[in-house]
Amino acid sequence: MTVSKGSLHRVSIEKFADKGKSIARLDGFVVLVAGGVPGDEVDVRIRRTKKKFAEADIESLITESDLRTTPRCRYFGSCGGCKWQHVDYEAQLNAKQQSVREAFIHTGGFTDVNVNPVIGAENIYFYRNKMEFSFSANRWLTKSEISSGKRFDKDFGLGLHAPGQFAKVIDIEECHLQSAESVQIVNVVRELAKSREWAPWDTRRQTGLLRHLVIREGKRTGERMINLVLSRYDESVVSEFSAAVESSGVPITTLVVTVNDTPAQTALGDRIEVVTGSGYIRDRIGDFEYRIGPQTFFQTNTVQAEELYNVVRKFVGPERPQLLYDVYCGAGSIGIFLSNLADRVVGIEVVPAAVEDALANAEINGVTNCTFESGDVVKRLDGAFVERHGKPDVVVVDPPRAGLHPKVLQRVADLGAHRLVYVSCNPQTQARDIAAITDKYEVDALQPVDLFPHTDHVENVARLTRIT
């Protein structure tokens, strides 16, 4: 059978694949189908062909899988925020467990892999404590908007990016990821900006004033931060914006303005102005309170972060470590959470501002046995570091998606700690890294935790024990 671009085929969806796609086969040839659910029978149109597989989109659903459910959001299928709202939640968890297992088999080369069932979320909507909405001078119209026959202002959008569209956003009036209050703020800001004709950012031309609207909420404290990101500071705009938000009826703890005058499409900036409040909010994980600023990294799902940290805590034990290293410690959230489990905790992090947050969080909680240092982990985690702090009994690592730098991985393995706990948001790179140190450590537990319902992302915690 010839599988060519543009050709139409009827296939049965076999199982989920990575990045929210699913697998079907045509005479054994793999076809990755966007939006497919195992058990579906669908007609697909081939979008792209490669040597070993093809990618396809669903043209029509012939037989619907029992694993399908009705998406809650009217923007589902167009917005890049949720890819799996159409999948039963239990099936999502099973798929994530499968993805961790396959990462360790296919990427890590492990043969005997036991992955615990994923710890699911009690709240699968309104679970995010942070949302970053983008302004754009290029609005992306959904299929339903196009078919409605209505005329839309395509020169202004405030919402979330469509998949693969870095310059265009869907103008959203509802979202089920953060809170009803969050959406209310978005709609108030949109109305104000359009009425005042404030120019949204044009990514291609690098012009415009309004860039991002970032909302952070303390899920355990009820506190809320509004962060307006502008290309330049405009006093009159900030004044009107502040007045509109304050009169919206939504409780606001603090309002800040970040200036990003660079081409980078990011909500970060060197200049941050506190308009009202303290410039930060607080949230709690377990018995500990954390200060969250405009640029603080904090796990996006507060409730599930506590589940994740409880797994880490369990994997550190049962013996009480005298010294625990927290590598890539961020704002110190894991190290502080484990502070009453160890005699001493030493954290290291590449971002200096994150270390400042970690030190502040330790002080807020009255934690005196935690030390945090900033620096390039590749260079800093050396013999002098160990000589200064001592050799650890346990090492916890929580690296970025790219995983551990090979030098860091080797240095961690050479520390001689009897226990290594590897927290990862990318099981593929986690499996790769762990496979490289199997001469020193063996894996004795893998526990995934779902922090992101309706997406294919999953956090995984691996417990490794030193081979004696």
Side-chain angles (χ1 to χ4, degrees):
M1 179 183 294
T2 301
V3 180
S4 57
K5 181 178 179 180
S7 58
L8 186 67
H9 304 272
R10 182 161 294 182
V11 297
S12 296
I13 304 298
E14 298 177 6
K15 65 177 185 177
F16 287 112
D18 287 337
K19 299 180 180 179
K21 297 180 180 178
S22 296
I23 291 178
R25 297 178 196 272
L26 287 168
D27 290 342
F29 187 71
V30 172
V31 180
L32 298 178
V33 181
V37 179
D40 282 344
E41 185 179 16
V42 293
D43 286 341
V44 299
R45 182 81 62 182
I46 303 298
R47 174 164 39 87
R48 181 166 57 174
T49 60
K50 293 194 174 184
K51 186 175 181 179
K52 294 184 178 181
F53 65 91
E55 296 180 358
D57 298 313
I58 296 176
E59 287 272 313
S60 56
L61 180 59
I62 307 304
T63 304
E64 186 174 301
S65 168
D66 292 338
L67 303 181
R68 279 186 173 267
T69 189
T70 303
R72 184 166 176 175
C73 182
R74 74 177 190 248
Y75 299 106
F76 174 76
S78 299
C79 174
C82 303
K83 291 183 178 179
W84 275 358
Q85 274 195 34
H86 65 309
V87 181
D88 176 77
Y89 187 56
E90 196 63 34
Q92 294 182 33
L93 297 180
N94 292 336
K96 294 182 183 191
Q97 181 185 22
Q98 170 192 302
S99 72
V100 174
R101 184 174 185 274
E102 292 187 350
F104 275 79
I105 292 173
H106 300 308
T107 301
F110 293 87
T111 53
D112 185 17
V113 180
N114 180 31
V115 181
N116 291 328
V118 181
I119 297 175
E122 182 177 347
N123 300 316
I124 62 174
Y125 290 103
F126 294 143
Y127 61 84
R128 288 183 65 97
N129 56 44
K130 177 187 176 184
M131 286 293 293
E132 184 176 306
F133 301 99
S134 297
F135 293 93
S136 177
N138 298 281
R139 175 178 172 177
W140 178 268
L141 296 183
T142 67
K143 290 181 180 178
S144 61
E145 287 172 339
I146 293 172
S147 62
S148 70
K150 298 179 181 178
R151 297 188 64 180
F152 295 93
D153 177 9
K154 294 197 292 183
D155 297 328
F156 187 101
L158 172 57
L160 300 174
H161 288 270
Q165 297 294 326
F166 76 97
K168 297 184 178 183
V169 304
I170 297 170
D171 196 59
I172 66 167
E173 296 178 348
E174 71 170 270
C175 180
H176 303 275
L177 286 174
Q178 190 172 31
S179 67
E181 293 81 5
S182 172
V183 177
Q184 185 178 341
I185 292 167
V186 170
N187 292 331
V188 166
V189 172
R190 175 190 297 105
E191 183 179 351
L192 172 68
K194 295 187 76 170
S195 69
R196 297 297 188 267
E197 297 184 345
W198 294 339
W201 185 251
D202 189 317
T203 303
R204 300 186 189 280
R205 295 180 180 178
Q206 298 289 298
T207 59
L209 175 66
L210 308 176
R211 300 198 65 164
H212 300 280
L213 177 66
V214 185
I215 303 173
R216 307 191 76 150
E217 297 178 341
K219 291 297 185 180
R220 293 265 174 75
T221 62
E223 297 186 358
R224 183 174 291 107
M225 173 192 295
I226 309 299
N227 178 13
L228 179 66
V229 183
L230 304 175
S231 62
R232 65 183 185 281
Y233 195 86
D234 187 310
E235 187 66 49
S236 63
V237 168
V238 172
S239 178
E240 286 200 66
F241 171 79
S242 176
V245 170
E246 292 290 344
S247 63
S248 67
V250 177
I252 307 297
T253 305
T254 187
L255 191 152
V256 300
V257 171
T258 299
V259 177
N260 173 17
D261 58 3
T262 73
Q265 187 69 350
T266 174
L268 304 178
D270 292 333
R271 179 182 177 186
I272 298 175
E273 299 287 344
V274 178
V275 182
T276 63
S278 62
Y280 61 86
I281 61 171
R282 299 166 301 159
D283 209 351
R284 287 193 300 271
I285 298 179
D287 296 329
F288 300 96
E289 184 175 280
Y290 297 91
R291 188 183 75 174
I292 303 167
Q295 298 186 11
T296 300
F297 172 78
F298 192 73
Q299 286 286 0
T300 310
N301 187 330
T302 304
V303 176
Q304 286 301 96
E306 185 168 325
E307 295 286 352
L308 180 74
Y309 292 179
N310 279 330
V311 171
V312 176
R313 185 180 182 90
K314 178 182 177 182
F315 281 7
V316 165
E319 304 89 1
R320 179 181 177 87
Q322 290 185 322
L323 176 59
L324 182 148
Y325 277 9
D326 182 7
V327 180
Y328 294 102
C329 65
S333 55
I334 291 180
I336 291 170
F337 190 86
L338 300 175
S339 61
N340 56 12
L341 188 68
D343 291 344
R344 288 193 299 130
V345 175
V346 176
I348 182 170
E349 166 61 42
V350 66
V351 181
V355 173
E356 292 177 11
D357 287 333
L359 294 170
N361 286 328
E363 184 177 358
I364 289 168
N365 289 283
V367 172
T368 59
N369 65 336
C370 288
T371 301
F372 300 103
E373 290 191 12
S374 65
D376 184 343
V377 180
V378 177
K379 299 176 181 177
R380 198 67 178 269
L381 190 64
D382 56 9
F385 185 92
V386 176
E387 186 176 342
R388 190 161 61 251
H389 296 290
K391 297 192 73 171
D393 307 294
V394 175
V395 178
V396 176
V397 296
D398 186 7
R401 287 190 64 80
L404 290 169
H405 187 284
K407 290 183 179 179
V408 174
L409 176 63
Q410 196 56 53
R411 287 172 188 168
V412 166
D414 290 342
L415 287 171
H418 76 269
R419 179 70 43 77
L420 173 60
V421 181
Y422 191 142
V423 184
S424 176
C425 60
N426 186 346
Q428 296 286 342
T429 54
Q430 182 188 44
R432 177 205 66 196
D433 291 346
I434 292 174
I437 57 172
T438 51
D439 59 327
K440 293 184 173 68
Y441 285 91
E442 62 181 0
V443 182
D444 50 27
L446 296 172
Q447 180 60 69
V449 183
D450 187 22
L451 271 73
F452 306 100
H454 310 306
T455 78
D456 58 300
H457 298 296
V458 63
E459 295 270 341
N460 187 53
V461 188
R463 184 178 67 193
L464 288 78
T465 301
R466 186 84 178 179
I467 299 172
T468 56

